[in-house]
Amino acid sequence: MNRKGSRERIASYIYHQGVTSKQEISRELAISMPTVLQCVRTLVEDGIAEEAGEYHSTGGRKAKQIAICRNYHYAVGADITENHQCLLLMDGRGQKQAVRRIRRPFTGDEAYWDGLAEEIAGLLADESVDGQRLLGVGISLPCIVDQKRQMILRSHVLRMEQVDLAPAAARIPWPVRFWNDANSAAYGELHGEERDAVYLSLSNTVGGAIYREGAICMGDHFRAGEFGHMVLVPEGKNCYCGKDGCMDAYCSVRALCGTEADQPEEFLGRLKAGDPRAAEDWENYLYYLALAVTNLRMAYDCDIVLGGYLGSCLEEYREQLTEKMCRWNRFDQDASYLRFGKRGKEAAAMGTARQLMEDFWENF
């Protein structure tokens, strides 16, 4: 392999490891130490990598830690919902540098996208980031997205269908890519894991994604993981999609909190305070959520991760939820397959920024 190829492999390895050493690079990539030394030296000279400290000594000379420069480049993830924008700035090491959440009802007109561009520019200015170092902006939307054609195929939440996103991208002065919100959130939560998982997003609406072999399964029509519109209760409550009995009508934050859909913490506060109405609503909610989780476990036989606004708050209620799941699941001895998201309202923005970074290093 020529030196240029080695340099690219080494840079990508450093990024994915976070911090590493020249000795580890040589061993793991099977590249000779002289080549590693030369490549790392040029990466440092070019402002791509830097020394980031020292490892503890094991008796000899301390090995230097090597990492990607935080300011080498950046990515912005923007999660668009019906009423909010969540912006996340990711640095060159793939770590969150800043996050900003703005209340702004979605309109989809030119003024809306101009406003988003202004918010991104303001975030960069506040963090003293040179806009020329921004790889791009990844935007997640609550809709079915055709990424190749940059089109919204359908969004019940945003009340849009067959919408060309190219005019929106043109209002933002950086490269732009669009993703589905649940797929983005799953990627933000699960990227880098080796275990397959199903991600169930419990936010104002219910979404989902299938994470298999390190990637998100899209499906033939970009609809894989649309668990919110699987029928949970035949002839049940009306869903905003027009069907009756969808999972969304029983397991979304709106189904639990009503008008407080953006603030599930308020509902959980009343629950902890002993509000009897909240306790009754909670029991009903967990009943249907347990049924939904068990159905997904039976279908996919892998870990189930609860994410979204509410899913990331549910870990302290694991015992209560798993007790109800036992009624439906007679195959598993325990519920160790059930996991909870950690990124909350930042997950989708994190996922889109992460995807931009991964695409960059894949083509570095």
Side-chain angles (χ1 to χ4, degrees), residues 181-194:
D181 58 347
N183 288 341
S184 300
Y187 197 81
E189 292 279 8
L190 302 174
H191 172 68
E193 294 193 8
E194 296 182 356

Side-chain angles (χ1 to χ4, degrees), residues 25 28 55-56 75 111 116 118-119 154 171 198 322 343:
I25 293 170
E28 296 299 320
Y55 288 98
H56 293 296
L116 177 61
E118 290 173 5
E119 291 290 350
R154 176 174 294 182
R171 313 299 298 187
V198 162
T322 55
R343 300 194 182 278

Side-chain angles (χ1 to χ4, degrees), residues 334-345:
D334 58 43
S336 57
Y337 62 86
L338 181 65
R339 295 159 50 195
F340 301 88
K342 305 297 183 185
R343 300 194 182 278
K345 297 177 180 179

Side-chain angles (χ1 to χ4, degrees), residues 64-75:
K64 300 290 186 181
Q65 293 180 334
I66 306 298
I68 297 297
C69 296
R70 293 187 184 278
N71 67 348
Y72 172 50
H73 55 210
Y74 299 84

